[in-house]
Amino acid sequence: MGALVIDNKKYARVLAKVLPRVIATGEEHERMLAEVEKLMDRGKHRTAEEDAALDLMVRLVKDYEEEHHPLPDPSPHEMLVYLMEQRSLKQADLLPIFKSRGYVSDVINAKRGISKVHAKQLAEFFKVWQTYSSSSSAFRGSTEGW
């Protein structure tokens, strides 16, 4: 994808309207979200300059939210259930890994943990990265790098 060509004077006018800056308070966060929404509502009618400003504001919002409202990592069980839902899989689809319907059911219902061996097999099955927490073996899915 080529570089976006923008008119600096037009871009400066867009920036002067929204005044984007590093977000430090909840009030600034709300204001920036409102500005993002206004530009998003313009859809395909946005100019290249508005797109550039939107990209900047989205990055500012994302940075603020990651710092002030971080999402906890999902548990191995939550990640497994999520990956199954995303792929419309049933418990029976995991039989090649767990070898027993009862075992699969216990894992899905969080009655059993996921061993390191099973975590590795699940990571390969779902084509996600596998990591381990220091306190226990943990299947944590991430599709980054796949």
Side-chain angles (χ1 to χ4, degrees):
M1 183 171 154
L4 183 64
V5 178
I6 61 172
D7 180 301
N8 286 335
K9 288 183 181 180
K10 289 179 183 178
Y11 183 56
R13 283 193 291 269
V14 172
L15 292 177
K17 283 182 191 175
V18 296
L19 298 171
R21 58 183 168 271
V22 173
I23 301 169
T25 68
E27 196 172 276
E28 291 172 351
H29 178 247
E30 290 299 319
R31 183 186 72 80
M32 194 60 56
L33 285 173
E35 294 296 341
V36 165
E37 189 173 331
K38 283 181 202 173
L39 285 177
M40 293 293 293
D41 287 345
R42 291 186 45 81
K44 62 183 177 182
H45 301 291
R46 279 191 311 269
T47 65
E49 294 77 17
E50 289 170 330
D51 276 341
L54 179 60
D55 287 344
L56 172 62
M57 290 186 295
V58 166
R59 180 166 296 182
L60 293 170
V61 167
K62 180 179 177 243
D63 289 349
Y64 175 85
E65 289 175 351
E66 285 177 353
E67 183 177 338
H68 292 89
H69 306 288
L71 295 175
D73 285 337
S75 71
H77 168 261
E78 292 168 331
M79 180 55 69
L80 176 58
V81 170
Y82 170 78
L83 290 169
M84 289 179 67
E85 287 173 357
Q86 293 302 304
R87 291 164 174 83
S88 300
L89 297 176
K90 298 193 181 334
Q91 291 185 14
D93 297 314
L94 298 181
L95 277 173
I97 295 168
F98 294 104
K99 310 289 188 235
S100 155
R101 289 185 186 278
Y103 199 103
V104 173
S105 178
D106 286 351
V107 169
I108 298 300
N109 293 309
K111 293 179 181 176
R112 285 185 186 237
I114 298 173
S115 71
K116 288 183 180 183
V117 170
H118 288 140
K120 183 177 181 182
Q121 292 171 332
L122 288 166
E124 291 170 4
F125 179 81
F126 287 108
K127 297 188 178 9
V128 296
W129 294 107
Q130 163 201 0
T131 60
Y132 297 107
S133 67
S134 56
S135 60
S136 66
S137 65
F139 167 68
R140 302 220 191 269
S142 171
T143 56
E144 292 177 20
W146 289 91

